[in-house]
Structure formats: structure tokens, C-alpha cells
Amino acid sequence: MVTKQRGRPRSFDREAALRQATLTFWEQGYEATSIADLTRVMGIAAPSLYAAFGDKRTLFDEVVEAYGTLFGGFGARALAEEPTARRVFARMLREAAKEYTEPGRPHGCMVLSAAENCSSPEVVAVLRDRRLRNVSEFRQRIQQDVDAGVLPADTDAAALARCTAAVIQGMSQQARDGASRAELEALAETAMRGWPEESREA
């Protein structure tokens, strides 16, 4: 007696397909990426895409999370591993210069570039909220060092967080415009000269 299998087994690698979708949204942005583009790079038919990932909007939410895991995690690692805020952001800017110009993939940051010319308020809001959350995390980390006496008491944590976020955003755009890793590393070093010095006890 032959037992029928339940459902139809997927004939594609879901993680590989998600990676290809991430690269495509990263390169083209949300608005310009069509379902036809996605099925082509993911190697699946439209019904399989909808079955595995939902519609384009739902897929994009998963892509944003995948981007953070696959390519954008250097900032979170720096925040988790470095002992002081100044060292966190020196490392973050240095690694941004490397990650944003890595050969073989789109340049810059997908979270910063994917919403360009986007008419979807929901997508714009998701990416904006993610960027604002980053600024808030930056401010909290800087304020922690101000409170601990590592940074001067008169340091404006909110302004410094926004300034640093603006540098990162500018590095992303310059990478997309063709700036090299060395040029972005020089920019990062210049930006860090504007940071307050740590106390000698830090």
C-alpha cells in the first residue's frame, strides 16, 4: 500500500531564496522591486513565493530582519562587546566603512536605502522606526558613560547620538555613490575627532 505524502515538498532552499530577495531589495529598493524580479532571483514561481513568504510587503519585513542578521549586525556587536561608548562608535564607524563597500553585494545600508522613492507609508514607517530605535540605543549607551564619569558631564548624549547616526547614514550614501573603504575609514576617523575624550580612568 502506498501512503500519500501530505502536502508538496518545497523544491527550493528557503534561506538561500531569502538571501537573494534581501540582495534584490537592497540593490533596487522596495518600490522598484517587482514580484517578477523576486521570483527570478529566488528561483521560484509566484505561487511558491506567496506560499512560503506571503505577499511582497510581508516578505520585505522578513528581509529587513534577515539583513540585520546577515549583513547589518556589526553595530549590535560593537554595542555588546566594547567597554566604552567611544570605543563602540569608533569600531562601528570603522566596520561600517568595510561593510558598506564589501565587494560582491550592494553598497551602503539596506535599511537606509530601501525606502528611497517609496510610496508605501508602511514600509517607510518600518524603516524609519528602525533607524530611530538605533538613535535611541546610541543615546542610551552614551548617557551611560556620561553618568559613569567616563565621558564629560556636559556631553549632550542626544546630540552626539544623532550626529553619529548622521555620519553612518552619510557613509551609506557615499558608499552607494562610489566612495571606497579607505575614503570612508578616513571619514570615520575625522568624525571620531569630534567626540569628547574619555576620562583617564576609563
Side-chain angles (χ1 to χ4, degrees):
M1 179 177 178
V2 178
T3 303
K4 291 185 178 180
Q5 292 183 345
R6 291 185 177 179
R8 185 177 178 181
R10 286 182 179 148
S11 58
F12 68 98
D13 182 328
R14 193 180 192 283
E15 290 186 6
L18 182 60
R19 180 186 176 94
Q20 291 304 312
T22 301
L23 293 171
T24 303
F25 278 121
W26 189 357
E27 178 67 33
Q28 300 181 182
Y30 178 83
E31 190 77 15
T33 299
S34 67
I35 292 295
D37 292 330
L38 293 167
T39 56
R40 175 176 51 81
V41 300
M42 297 168 79
I44 56 177
S48 296
L49 185 152
Y50 291 126
F53 298 101
D55 60 12
K56 175 182 168 181
R57 175 71 181 80
T58 305
L59 170 60
F60 185 71
D61 285 342
E62 191 167 347
V63 159
V64 171
E65 295 303 318
Y67 172 80
T69 301
L70 295 170
F71 306 107
F74 63 90
R77 288 192 297 272
L79 282 165
E81 296 171 5
E82 294 299 326
T84 67
R86 199 177 200 284
R87 296 180 195 181
V88 164
F89 293 106
R91 171 177 166 180
M92 194 180 294
L93 294 180
R94 186 173 62 250
E95 293 191 2
K98 175 182 180 297
E99 293 296 328
Y100 290 172
T101 58
E102 193 71 23
R105 67 187 195 214
H107 286 177
C109 171
M110 192 198 77
V111 173
L112 297 173
S113 63
E116 292 178 0
N117 303 314
C118 181
S119 62
S120 168
E122 294 83 5
V123 170
V124 171
V126 164
L127 297 178
R128 181 185 63 237
D129 289 348
R130 196 176 186 93
R131 294 192 298 269
L132 291 175
R133 188 164 64 247
N134 287 341
V135 174
S136 178
E137 290 177 356
F138 293 177
R139 181 193 60 75
Q140 291 174 24
R141 185 63 188 85
I142 294 166
Q143 189 63 52
Q144 180 181 328
D145 275 14
V146 175
D147 294 342
V150 176
L151 291 173
D154 62 353
T155 300
D156 186 333
L160 188 54
R162 285 195 174 276
C163 180
T164 304
V167 171
I168 293 172
Q169 291 168 11
M171 290 174 71
S172 172
Q173 185 58 58
Q174 291 197 24
R176 290 181 71 83
D177 288 344
S180 68
R181 175 179 175 179
E183 288 170 331
L184 294 185
E185 286 175 340
L187 188 160
E189 290 179 8
T190 300
M192 289 308 299
R193 293 193 191 106
W195 261 67
E197 295 292 334
E198 297 176 350
S199 69
R200 294 184 179 180
E201 291 78 15

